[in-house]
Amino acid sequence: MAAAPIRYRIVPIDPAAHLFEVRCTVENPDLQGQRVALPAWIPGSYMIREFARNIVSIRAQSGRKTVTLRKIDKHTWQTEPCDGPLTVTAQVYAWDLSVRGAHLDRTHAFFNGTCMFLRVVGQEARACELEILPPAGRAYAKWRVATAMRRKRAPAYGFGLYQARDYDELIDHPVEMGTFTLATFKAHGVPHDIAITGRHRADMERLCRDLKRVCEWQIDLFGRPAPMERYAFLVMAVGEGYGGLEHRASTALLCSRDDLPTVDSKGTNEAYRGFLGLCSHEYFHTWNVKRIKPDVFSPYQLDTENYTSLLWAFEGFTSYYDDLALVRSGLITPNEYLETLARAITQLQRAGGRMKQTVSESSWDAWIKYYRQDENAPNAIVSYYGKGSLIALCLDALIRQRTRGRKSLDDVMRLLWQRHGLTGAGVPENGIERIAEEVAGTRLRAFFDKALRSTAELPLGQCLQQLGVELKLRVAESHSDRGGKASARSPQQLASRGSFGARITANGGDVKLANVYNGGAAEKAGLSAGDIVVAVDGLRVAAKEFESRIAARKPGDLLRVHAFRRDELHEFEVTLQAPRVDTCELSFTPRRTRVQRAWVDDA
Ligand code: ZN
């Protein structure tokens, strides 16, 4: 006889107060007293979030009898000895409109299981059943449910009973309820839903058509059949927002409504390219990190940090393939792809932190650094997303070169899938390097030592040349110049603009220094992040004109700057520096070889 499942029930009990009620019933609790715990973090987002802080009240009972609950640490409770069945009921506050949390009001409900479902300690392997109920009242009669969780006794997109193989699966299917827009397409036979919440005018047919191409391309990359029975894109469209979180058969996305294509939009504009890139990124994680995982994630330890030095591969390779999948599936042109790639290179070139931190370290310390960035982050941190994606690019070029185009990074992904994805065996810390060497048929130790464990520059120019691409670096035209496009100005004109060495934000109309770069003019003059600059050379300056005032001056010019630090006015002498050559342009070399063309032209 199969062991009784753990039974959960969730109700948005008070949408106006943003409260869910969540029940968990355990047929056979630990007779010594059952422990239950809420995760401290959500897989995919490497930061301790302490979801238990949103539990407003919690009680336990067995039959009609109240069972005493004792809290033993910040997210764990223990019951008095009881012989079950045991029911623990919690009220959970949900007012976090992010892909990592839970959000409830009268318009919709969204939750991640990590925020809601108590883990029954010792019974994590048991099957789970989840009853999802609507809020009470006629106002909610039209609500539906979107999730990739398997239905047990519920109509399609309806309220009722759902099921998961175990706790790990239960918390890996976010759920959206409300009056979202819904469209469905099939990718190699697998049904894929797109549910969009929030006001929008998205062209659902176009979205289905485009996403189908990316999804099918990715399924083909790893090999059919796809590893999931169905998939759901749960999208929250807002005025301004961006974010995504991957799950085994779905993703939760936050986007600006203007990123979505409408029936009258022509072509694929930059905003929509960004949205497609985000969808592609999270979808790629279905293989890379949800099934091919670091050893330490198999299984996740949900009450504490799980350290790995491999996020440069799990996030970096995913970041490489997200846009690459768009060009290879024909959704963007090779030239549009180069523009995106040039921006990634520009971003890395501008990050002084790449000289301080290696990607291995960045990955290991994600919990306290990448996810907790402060004003000094640009000086101290390198992104394992950005640099990781460029390491993937170099590796792809290296493998293509050493195997004369017979193999590529695609083969590394496929081998990882065969060895670790299909088997469920975790990837050891040196596992990616080993498999890359196996595919390349040669030692890559020197490359990896440099790329992963040093702060030396990546051999980008050389690797891009292997792929038939020429890299040029120049000075930025303005703060809004993110690279990727040729400048109409001559190198002399660009080099004649003075550099202040800080990123500014508008604080009301004032100039606030958001980041002050190590070794730059502002830092040398003694200015700090947080300072409010009010005057340059005795004349009041506002945020909107600051950049043009500085750009009109030459490197070497001395400026008298007045700035408030707290409420004290200070004067600084700033000697403008020469601008940095940190903005990237890429172009295809004429007459590329067949091997070179195979990189992005093999749609
Ligand atoms: Zn990611």
Side-chain angles (χ1 to χ4, degrees):
M1 195 184 78
I6 311 278
R7 284 180 288 127
Y8 294 87
R9 193 186 90 147
I10 187 163
V11 198
I13 201 154
D14 190 346
H18 319 301
L19 289 175
F20 281 99
E21 184 187 84
V22 191
R23 258 190 219 173
C24 166
T25 302
V26 191
E27 216 53 51
N28 309 105
D30 185 336
L31 295 174
Q32 312 300 311
Q34 178 63 53
R35 285 189 182 191
V36 292
L38 208 60
W41 62 285
I42 179 166
S45 184
Y46 306 104
M47 182 169 139
I48 296 297
R49 295 184 190 275
E50 294 157 333
F51 295 115
R53 73 200 161 87
N54 291 318
I55 293 193
V56 176
S57 65
I58 188 166
R59 63 193 153 82
Q61 59 194 106
S62 180
R64 296 240 170 107
K65 190 173 148 279
T66 299
V67 174
T68 311
L69 271 178
R70 186 165 62 91
K71 199 158 185 195
I72 55 175
D73 66 27
K74 62 186 174 182
H75 43 226
T76 313
W77 291 259
Q78 176 153 355
T79 68
E80 63 180 313
C82 84
D83 56 2
L86 168 74
T87 298
V88 182
T89 306
Q91 290 215 338
V92 185
Y93 179 68
W95 195 238
D96 170 15
L97 190 60
S98 82
V99 296
R100 307 166 297 253
H103 190 260
L104 167 64
D105 63 14
R106 286 175 178 170
T107 67
H108 89 127
F110 170 80
F111 68 83
N112 280 291
T114 38
C115 301
M116 297 292 154
F117 302 130
L118 290 162
R119 175 168 63 93
V120 179
V121 177
Q123 301 196 25
E124 292 87 347
R126 287 220 180 181
C128 300
E129 284 181 6
L130 170 64
E131 189 181 10
I132 307 176
L133 296 174
R138 298 228 327 256
Y140 306 102
K142 291 205 169 129
W143 277 29
R144 295 192 285 177
V145 176
T147 180
M149 203 182 300
R150 246 171 327 135
R151 287 182 284 132
K152 184 172 172 126
R153 214 164 43 244
Y157 310 106
F159 290 91
L161 202 60
Y162 287 75
Q163 59 183 333
R165 205 166 303 121
D166 51 24
Y167 181 77
D168 183 53
E169 185 188 341
L170 176 74
I171 58 167
D172 201 18
H173 294 298
V175 175
E176 174 71 33
M177 312 175 205
T179 54
F180 46 80
T181 319
L182 181 70
T184 301
F185 65 90
K186 280 193 175 168
H188 288 323
V190 178
H192 286 56
D193 292 329
I194 315 175
I196 307 184
T197 299
R199 294 178 193 175
H200 70 91
R201 299 194 306 123
D203 178 349
M204 300 301 282
E205 264 174 50
R206 168 96 193 263
L207 277 174
C208 286
R209 209 164 54 229
D210 290 351
L211 287 175
K212 179 184 169 74
R213 287 173 81 159
V214 195
C215 296
E216 291 191 339
W217 185 86
Q218 294 195 19
I219 294 170
D220 283 334
L221 173 74
F222 288 97
R224 296 187 212 176
M228 62 292 188
E229 287 164 25
R230 56 182 307 115
Y231 192 88
F233 292 93
L234 306 181
V235 184
M236 177 82 202
V238 295
E240 210 165 306
Y242 181 84
L245 192 62
E246 68 273 12
H247 299 280
R248 69 185 63 191
S250 60
T251 176
L253 303 171
L254 182 73
C255 74
S256 304
R257 65 176 64 88
D258 294 342
D259 295 350
L260 301 171
T262 61
V263 276
D264 23 71
S265 31
K266 297 199 172 46
T268 305
N269 65 21
E270 208 184 313
Y272 182 42
R273 263 194 269 159
F275 177 76
L276 287 173
L278 178 65
C279 293
S280 176
H281 180 98
E282 305 308 343
Y283 196 74
F284 196 82
H285 276 314
T286 310
W287 292 266
N288 195 36
V289 96
K290 292 314 301 188
R291 289 173 176 81
I292 306 166
K293 315 177 176 190
D295 229 354
V296 293
F297 291 179
S298 332
Y300 298 110
Q301 303 301 314
L302 292 166
D303 50 0
T304 186
E305 291 88 347
N306 290 196
Y307 297 101
T308 173
S309 59
L310 291 180
L311 295 182
W312 59 267
F314 289 101
E315 286 303 344
F317 286 18
T318 303
S319 298
Y320 176 57
Y321 275 102
D322 57 22
D323 290 323
L324 197 61
L326 300 187
V327 63
R328 291 229 193 122
S329 63
L331 282 178
I332 63 172
T333 65
N335 281 316
E336 285 170 333
Y337 175 67
L338 281 198
E339 194 179 312
T340 315
L341 187 58
R343 288 186 174 165
I345 295 174
T346 303
Q347 240 175 15
L348 180 67
Q349 288 303 312
R350 291 182 185 169
R354 78 186 191 287
M355 319 297 278
K356 305 268 174 60
Q357 194 188 38
T358 69
V359 277
S360 279
E361 291 164 345
S362 178
S363 171
W364 195 265
D365 276 340
W367 304 86
I368 56 165
K369 293 197 173 182
Y370 189 79
Y371 269 93
R372 290 170 65 182
Q373 298 190 22
D374 60 15
E375 67 290 335
N376 195 45
N379 295 321
I381 293 177
V382 69
S383 161
Y384 48 76
Y385 287 86
K387 187 169 175 184
S389 76
L390 296 173
I391 290 170
L393 170 80
C394 292
L395 195 54
D396 201 2
L398 267 175
I399 296 172
R400 285 168 193 269
Q401 179 221 344
R402 300 217 181 154
T403 61
R404 301 213 171 89
R406 281 180 298 107
K407 294 279 165 73
S408 72
L409 194 63
D410 298 357
D411 297 283
V412 174
M413 296 317 305
R414 283 190 279 266
L415 196 51
L416 281 165
W417 176 241
Q418 299 296 328
R419 298 259 174 88
H420 298 282
L422 286 172
T423 63
V427 180
E429 292 288 291
N430 63 358
I432 310 264
E433 292 171 59
R434 288 266 175 80
I435 282 186
E437 288 185 329
E438 189 178 329
V439 168
T442 168
R443 301 261 304 172
L444 295 169
R445 180 75 198 208
F447 168 75
F448 282 122
D449 277 346
K450 224 173 169 180
L452 309 179
R453 290 175 284 273
S454 93
T455 55
E457 300 283 10
L458 294 175
L460 285 168
Q462 217 179 307
C463 288
L464 281 161
Q465 215 167 38
Q466 297 291 344
L467 299 169
V469 175
E470 193 192 346
L471 177 150
K472 260 196 264 174
L473 288 176
R474 59 168 172 81
V475 168
E477 282 192 326
S478 68
H479 274 295
S480 53
D481 182 359
R482 295 186 291 141
K485 291 207 159 83
S487 171
R489 296 183 212 171
S490 70
Q492 290 78 6
Q493 279 173 315
L494 289 173
S496 68
R497 305 167 61 233
S499 164
F500 194 76
R503 187 176 72 87
I504 68 148
T505 51
N507 183 48
D510 286 335
V511 180
K512 182 176 180 179
L513 302 187
N515 312 100
V516 170
Y517 302 128
N518 282 166
E523 187 193 69
K524 287 198 163 152
L527 282 152
S528 295
D531 289 351
I532 306 284
V533 174
V534 291
V536 173
D537 283 341
L539 291 175
R540 182 168 172 165
V541 66
K544 61 179 179 351
E545 71 210 4
F546 183 77
E547 201 205 337
S548 56
R549 293 264 296 271
I550 299 295
R553 308 291 298 267
K554 305 240 164 319
D557 280 4
L558 184 72
L559 309 185
R560 197 155 49 85
V561 170
H562 282 90
F564 278 105
R565 181 168 304 165
R566 301 184 299 279
D567 56 352
E568 298 173 4
L569 186 66
H570 296 268
E571 187 178 326
F572 303 87
E573 288 193 335
V574 180
T575 305
L576 294 182
Q577 295 182 344
R580 293 183 39 194
V581 183
D582 59 10
T583 306
C584 175
E585 281 174 30
L586 299 176
S587 55
F588 287 110
T589 51
R591 287 187 301 281
R592 283 179 295 148
T593 64
R594 192 184 48 80
V595 169
Q596 288 172 335
R597 296 187 68 91
W599 174 52
V600 289
D601 292 352
D602 70 347

